[in-house]
Amino acid sequence: MRLTDDDRWLMGEGTHRRLWEVLGAHALPEGGVAFAVYAPAARQVRVRGDFNGWDGRAHGMVRHGDVWELTVPEAGPGDRYRYEVLGAGGVWQEKADPLAQAAECPPANASVVFRSEFRWTDDDFVARRPRDWERQPMSVYEVHLGSWRPGLGYRQLAHELAEHVAGLGFTHVQLMPVAEHPFGGSWGYQVSGYFAPTARFGDPDEFRYLVNHLHAAGIGVLVDFVPAHFPKDAWALGRFDGTALYEHPEPWRGEHPDWGTYIFDFGRPYVRGFLIAAALYWLAEFHVDGLRVDAVSSMLYLDYSRGPGEWVPNERGGNENLAAVALLTELTGVVHDDFPGAVVIAEESTAWPGLTAPDGLGFDLKWNLGWMHDVLGYLGHDPVHRAGHHGELTFPLDYAWQERYLLPLSHDEVVHGKGSLWQRMPGDDKQRADGLRALLAYMWAHPGKQLLFMGGELGQTSEWDSAAGLPWELAADPLHQGVTDLVRRLNAVYRSLPALYETDHDPAGFAWHTSDPGRNLVAFTRTGPGGTLLCAANFSGVPQGLDTGDGEWAVLVDTADEHADVHLGGVLALPASTVMWLFRSDHTENASPA
């Protein structure tokens, strides 16, 4: 028996932060494997696997409180296994281990005994993880590992992805969910194994290699975390011990009407502890630098995707899911306490107040989906029609400091018939290239951190297809190479100018210079240590003039590539469909990027 009384007490309270150390399958130094699974309503549990010819009758587990345990001397690392659970209703089910640290490659679904032999070499990188990240540059490259370069495993991805991302100057990668999931078409957002990196690309130590190598290249690693819901596959978490153990027992709260999945019972102590431990696991065992929490809106509201009569108000009479609010607040607090410098990001589509406030839910950043929707909507119009939509461009700056934001041009914006970013720009190929470069330069200058989904740096001409690779051949086309070159240039200049990140969340660092609906022209300044950047954006499709005022400005970025690295004052000539960054330094040595 491996669990102590303290373990059981913490588990019952929902405060056992390292569940993976006491539950699951653990290869013992003296040989054999200790198995432990939480199944309080089960009548009997057996373990079957490679070590017993998949006949569990000789390996019945022993109940100790709510946990079933057994040490199998014949088992060892690499063995596949499942639990046979005689549930509360008297029916036997085969179940994967909820705390398995490895699994078979889908569509197979057995759990796998795994013992890590990896030796980390990223101590310096982890030690340098900034505590004041909000005053640091953050530009994120979002990646779906299966379609970045199909056929590569974690080790090959480590080298090719690190070279590409470092070459473009991004500070972080964000990996779409890598936790094990049965259906590839969910892109990882329907998780069956919260403690197991997907076996599609290798074993857990090979995933560790990927993170370690990215750190060696100076790149932080964020991963998607999905605590909102899980799939209904019969062998997974659902009805695990014959009861609604992980999901909420009331169908209107326990089943998601949009996704056909189960919703976790956020108020149950063990479930709360399970989810928080799963989040900590990726930080502790895989050294990731932060979590992007998916579908937060679906967790926060009892009436999410439900009409009148399909939900019941909380005890205060409101539509807030108070149990989910408590869970998320506890999760962010524990992450920050246990892993100072780790970033927790919310994908949340409503105006929930105080999402990133220290006295609110405690997230570090929120995806600014309003900015994404408005700016893409504005630029999707032909320039001749943009004047009537000027507010879509300027409105996000009315609330830019209400939360701490990350501006996302994510995978969600290049699927489901929306078209790629390239396709969403009006005009011919030359105009689309101009429009995409202008969008990216405007985004990088705008208050907030940045995220760009893979393929955006190539000017991908078709929607993202998770079953196909990126169109790398576009790099041979000068129009598309121009987009890539601009992303590289933006990241280099961005990282060299504290005005673009040290006062990112301070309205005192921002001021309007020009907002002219009739001319589709905007310009604003970002001020911080070292000087001021003027971002001038001409979205009219025809050349424009802009009075820059007194003083001399250096042009650091010009999406039309006609004025780069020259000094000027007075009236600035802005080519059609261009964004220009001009810098006036308080210190001459800071006037150009390092």
Side-chain angles (χ1 to χ4, degrees):
M1 186 175 90
R2 294 180 301 114
L3 272 72
T4 66
D5 289 342
D6 284 346
D7 288 326
R8 299 178 200 287
W9 185 84
L10 292 171
M11 199 178 300
E13 292 290 307
T15 56
H16 201 303
R17 302 303 183 216
R18 301 182 76 87
L19 277 180
W20 66 91
E21 293 182 349
V22 296
L23 296 179
H26 295 269
L28 303 174
E30 65 272 20
V33 174
F35 296 93
V37 62
Y38 180 82
R43 298 181 182 180
Q44 188 176 347
V45 181
R46 305 189 295 223
V47 60
R48 63 195 298 260
D50 292 329
F51 43 82
N52 60 16
W54 291 92
D55 185 347
R57 288 175 294 179
H59 287 103
M61 303 180 76
V62 179
R63 178 194 286 274
H64 294 101
D66 291 337
V67 177
W68 297 78
E69 300 175 79
L70 182 70
T71 296
V72 180
E74 301 84 4
D79 281 345
R80 300 169 301 156
Y81 69 99
R82 294 190 188 91
Y83 294 121
E84 294 179 310
V85 180
L86 181 61
V91 177
W92 284 98
Q93 302 180 87
E94 280 203 16
K95 290 288 187 179
D97 187 346
L99 272 291
Q101 296 182 27
E104 283 188 293
C105 186
N109 55 46
S111 301
V112 177
V113 179
F114 187 81
R115 177 165 56 197
S116 176
E117 305 291 344
F118 190 77
R119 297 295 178 264
W120 292 95
T121 60
D122 66 346
D123 288 351
D124 288 346
F125 184 92
V126 173
R128 293 195 309 269
R129 192 181 282 161
R131 303 299 188 263
D132 62 339
W133 62 267
E134 68 277 7
R135 297 177 63 85
Q136 304 297 322
M138 179 184 286
S139 60
V140 183
Y141 184 71
E142 186 187 25
V143 181
H144 178 261
L145 290 177
S147 59
W148 188 74
R149 286 193 188 275
L152 298 186
Y154 290 126
R155 284 183 173 269
Q156 295 87 355
L157 282 162
H159 293 271
E160 297 193 23
L161 184 60
E163 181 180 5
H164 183 69
V165 174
L168 290 173
F170 285 95
T171 65
H172 292 75
V173 295
Q174 179 178 300
L175 305 179
M176 291 170 66
V178 290
E180 195 57 88
H181 51 281
F183 177 46
S186 75
W187 310 329
Y189 290 103
Q190 295 187 12
V191 177
S192 56
Y194 278 81
F195 295 80
T198 180
R200 291 169 173 85
F201 314 114
D203 67 32
D205 275 357
E206 291 173 311
F207 180 70
R208 288 181 171 93
Y209 183 93
L210 169 63
V211 176
N212 194 66
H213 190 78
L214 286 166
H215 283 174
I219 301 163
V221 180
L222 313 174
V223 296
D224 268 345
F225 180 59
V226 190
H229 62 126
F230 60 93
K232 291 184 176 181
D233 299 72
W235 49 268
L237 295 178
R239 305 293 189 264
F240 189 83
D241 61 358
T243 68
L245 180 59
Y246 289 89
E247 63 273 31
H248 200 286
E250 298 180 49
W252 75 268
R253 293 188 66 175
E255 299 187 29
H256 201 289
D258 292 344
W259 303 322
T261 51
Y262 285 129
I263 300 172
F264 283 104
D265 186 351
F266 303 118
R268 182 174 296 165
Y270 174 77
V271 173
R272 187 177 72 248
F274 172 87
L275 289 172
I276 292 174
L280 297 177
Y281 180 76
W282 293 89
L283 295 158
E285 294 293 326
F286 297 112
H287 290 204
V288 302
D289 303 285
L291 307 170
R292 178 266 195 186
V293 183
D294 180 64
V296 170
S297 298
S298 75
M299 300 173 66
L300 291 176
Y301 298 99
L302 295 169
D303 58 346
Y304 186 89
S305 288
R306 302 183 192 278
E310 296 177 343
W311 64 283
V312 177
N314 62 36
E315 58 264 36
R316 302 174 185 173
N319 66 342
E320 303 89 354
N321 188 331
L322 300 178
V325 172
L327 167 68
L328 292 169
T329 305
E330 184 177 2
L331 186 152
T332 58
V334 171
V335 167
H336 293 142
D337 287 345
D338 290 6
F339 297 92
V343 179
V344 191
I345 303 169
E347 188 252 339
E348 202 278 319
S349 58
T350 74
W352 184 278
L355 202 79
T356 60
D359 59 350
L361 296 191
F363 285 97
D364 298 299
L365 288 169
K366 171 182 174 174
W367 275 24
N368 193 338
L369 297 171
W371 173 90
M372 173 278 301
H373 180 270
D374 288 347
V375 171
L376 286 180
Y378 174 82
L379 291 177
H381 294 290
D382 188 278
V384 73
H385 300 302
R386 286 175 180 165
H389 298 273
H390 195 75
E392 295 176 8
L393 192 64
T394 60
F395 176 62
L397 285 157
D398 288 348
Y399 61 85
W401 297 276
Q402 290 180 4
E403 300 281 3
R404 293 178 173 176
Y405 286 116
L406 181 147
L407 312 180
L409 293 177
S410 73
H411 66 277
D412 281 328
E413 309 324 313
V414 293
V415 290
H416 303 319
K418 297 174 185 175
S420 66
L421 295 178
W422 179 278
Q423 289 174 304
R424 295 174 77 159
M425 300 297 109
D428 59 22
D429 281 351
K430 171 64 167 61
Q431 291 167 319
R432 284 177 164 174
D434 291 347
L436 180 53
R437 292 198 309 272
L439 165 64
L440 295 174
Y442 183 76
M443 173 185 180
W444 254 253
H446 195 285
K449 313 304 182 183
Q450 306 88 29
L451 177 142
L452 181 66
F453 182 57
M454 64 182 203
E457 80 280 16
L458 301 173
Q460 185 167 350
T461 56
S462 59
E463 277 198 347
W464 169 54
D465 181 354
S466 64
L470 293 183
W472 296 102
E473 67 278 4
L474 291 175
D477 185 311
L479 284 179
H480 296 274
Q481 183 60 52
V483 176
T484 305
D485 290 344
L486 176 69
V487 170
R488 184 180 298 111
R489 177 73 171 164
L490 290 173
N491 275 325
V493 178
Y494 167 71
R495 294 173 77 162
S496 74
L497 293 182
L500 286 175
Y501 55 81
E502 286 206 18
T503 57
D504 210 26
H505 307 292
D506 183 355
F510 174 90
W512 279 111
H513 179 284
T514 302
S515 178
D516 189 336
R519 296 201 296 154
N520 297 341
L521 187 67
V522 294
F524 54 79
T525 58
R526 303 285 307 280
T527 302
T532 297
L533 178 128
L534 172 65
C535 175
N538 174 17
F539 293 122
S540 69
V542 297
Q544 298 263 26
L546 177 70
D547 185 353
T548 61
D550 295 333
E552 196 171 71
W553 298 84
V555 179
L556 297 184
V557 171
D558 179 0
T559 63
D561 277 338
E562 294 178 11
H563 297 88
D565 299 317
V566 299
H567 292 263
L568 52 111
V571 176
L572 172 66
L574 283 170
S577 301
T578 189
V579 171
M580 194 176 292
W581 290 12
L582 302 97
F583 188 64
R584 184 166 57 204
S585 178
D586 294 339
H587 308 286
T588 303
E589 63 270 19
N590 291 337
S592 61

